């Protein structure tokens, strides 16, 4: 009898797809080289608008469980507001110049003293605003918006001269699953756009079949649970390497992806292993 609820929890704890692009969305308000170095964000302005209600959007009768398939309607009146969580200076390239990457979150997650322990679609409050990552040009115009789970952290990592990886980290409050953990995805700014990172495969060793090289490998989001992880590896005399470990549920195949910037281009390798 417990099989169906547990399957629902397992499914809701994982993320297998990159967040959908929402080009053209209006911004909610005006803006505010060492190896693998984390780029320090610029100072962020206060919440938008500045008058923040004490308990914005919290329902008077809180439920013990949220139904992700049937989310509640927005509160009326809808007092939920966004606040700027992080702002990073970024280079938009030849056609964009200096820009900004701005992270907006539900103000309940950014206020002083807020407990940032992750969120889950099934855990109240059920009316969190999705987080937003906005790419903004030097004139203050919003070029692109990407949406993520409500609690989001972003890190910019210098992987080489002119090579920046943007890591988005969706903080997840796990219930019960070895596949549940914070969701990590990797992006670059290319042609003035925020795009999922990819590199040209220079080595491929599959668990079965013939190896192939030369294809582009796009990094899909990885869940930092029991079987998946990502890290930045640094070795003397070598460029920093993004290492992503994956495991295919049910197939007993693990894979390690490696991504690095060398000779002016992004490269990748993938090695698979069948352990049963």
């Amino acid at each position: 009898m417990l099989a169906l609820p547990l399957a629902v929890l397992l499914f809701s704890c994982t993320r297998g797809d990159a967040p959908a692009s929402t080009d053209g969305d209006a911004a909610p308000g005006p803006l505010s080289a060492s190896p693998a170095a984390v780029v320090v964000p610029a100072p962020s302005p206060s919440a938008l608008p500045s008058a923040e209600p004490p308990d914005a959007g919290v329902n008077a009768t809180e439920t013990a469980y949220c139904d992700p398939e049937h989310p509640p309607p927005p509160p009326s009146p809808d007092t939920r507001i966004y606040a700027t969580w992080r702002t990073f200076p970024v280079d938009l390239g030849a056609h964009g110049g200096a820009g900004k990457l701005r992270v907006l979150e539900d103000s309940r997650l950014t206020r002083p003293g807020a407990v940032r322990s992750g969120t889950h679609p099934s855990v109240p409050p059920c009316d969190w605003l999705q987080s937003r990552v906005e790419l903004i040009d030097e004139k203050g115009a919003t070029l692109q918006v990407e949406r993520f789970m409500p609690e989001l952290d972003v890190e910019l990592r210098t992987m080489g001269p002119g090579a920046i990886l943007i890591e988005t980290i969706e903080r997840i409050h796990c219930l019960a699953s070895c596949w549940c953990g914070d969701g990590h995805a990797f992006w670059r700014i290319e042609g003035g756009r925020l795009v999922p990172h990819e590199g040209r495969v220079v080595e491929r060793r599959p668990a079965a079949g013939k190896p192939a090289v030369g294809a582009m490998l796009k990094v899909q989001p990885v869940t930092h649970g029991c079987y998946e992880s990502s890290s930045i590896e640094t070795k003397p005399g070598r460029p920093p390497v993004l290492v992503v470990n994956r495991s295919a549920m049910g197939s007993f195949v693990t894979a390690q992806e490696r991504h690095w910037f060398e000779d002016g281009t992004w490269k990748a390798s993938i090695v698979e292993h069948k352990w049963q």
Side-chain angles (χ1 to χ4, degrees):
M1 296 297 292
L2 296 176
L4 183 56
L6 180 57
V8 172
L9 289 178
L10 285 171
F11 178 77
S12 63
C13 283
T14 59
R15 280 183 65 87
D17 299 316
S21 174
T22 54
D23 299 353
D25 286 3
L31 276 177
S32 50
S34 58
V38 176
V39 178
V40 178
S44 300
S46 58
L48 301 176
S50 57
E52 183 177 336
D55 289 301
V58 177
N59 295 327
T61 56
E62 190 63 85
T63 60
Y65 172 79
C66 306
D67 184 353
E69 299 298 323
H70 303 90
S76 180
D78 192 349
T79 55
R80 299 173 300 172
I81 58 174
Y82 277 108
T84 300
W85 175 237
R86 293 287 186 266
T87 303
F88 297 87
V90 293
D91 183 1
L92 299 178
H95 302 291
K100 292 181 181 179
L101 192 73
R102 182 172 71 169
V103 183
L104 296 175
E105 292 187 7
D106 192 307
S107 62
R108 289 169 285 177
L109 290 168
T110 63
R111 64 178 54 177
V115 178
R116 295 181 62 84
S117 58
T119 65
H120 189 282
S122 299
V123 177
C126 306
D127 62 349
W128 290 120
L129 293 167
Q130 284 185 299
S131 61
R132 296 164 58 103
V133 173
E134 300 180 341
L135 195 60
I136 299 163
D137 68 14
E138 57 188 352
K139 297 180 180 179
T142 302
L143 304 177
Q144 183 179 354
V145 177
E146 298 288 339
R147 287 190 173 92
F148 299 84
M149 288 187 68
E151 189 173 319
L152 183 75
D153 286 322
V154 175
E155 292 184 2
L156 272 62
R157 299 184 179 274
T158 302
M159 303 294 288
I164 301 291
L165 272 183
I166 300 168
E167 182 176 7
T168 56
I169 307 167
E170 293 176 298
R171 300 299 182 187
I172 298 172
H173 175 76
C174 290
L175 301 180
S177 171
C178 254
W179 292 92
C180 178
D182 293 342
H184 294 237
F186 300 89
W187 307 73
R188 297 203 318 263
I189 294 177
E190 191 172 278
R193 302 288 297 171
L194 194 63
V195 298
H197 167 68
E198 62 183 3
R200 181 167 295 281
V201 177
V202 296
E203 177 191 27
R204 181 178 177 87
R205 284 186 277 164
K210 296 181 179 180
V213 297
M216 300 299 288
L217 177 64
K218 182 176 293 186
V219 176
Q220 301 296 325
V222 60
T223 299
H224 278 221
C226 301
Y227 307 112
E228 297 187 323
S229 66
S230 64
S231 61
I232 301 295
E233 175 186 282
T234 57
K235 291 184 177 181
R238 295 291 301 162
V241 179
L242 166 64
V243 181
V244 178
N245 296 299
R246 302 184 186 279
S247 181
M249 184 185 291
S251 68
F252 304 105
V253 172
T254 60
Q256 184 178 89
E257 300 174 20
R258 300 173 67 83
H259 298 258
W260 67 97
F261 189 78
E262 187 177 38
D263 301 327
T265 186
W266 286 97
K267 299 179 180 180
S269 70
I270 180 168
V271 176
E272 297 176 355
H273 175 69
K274 192 171 182 65
W275 50 276
Q276 182 171 331

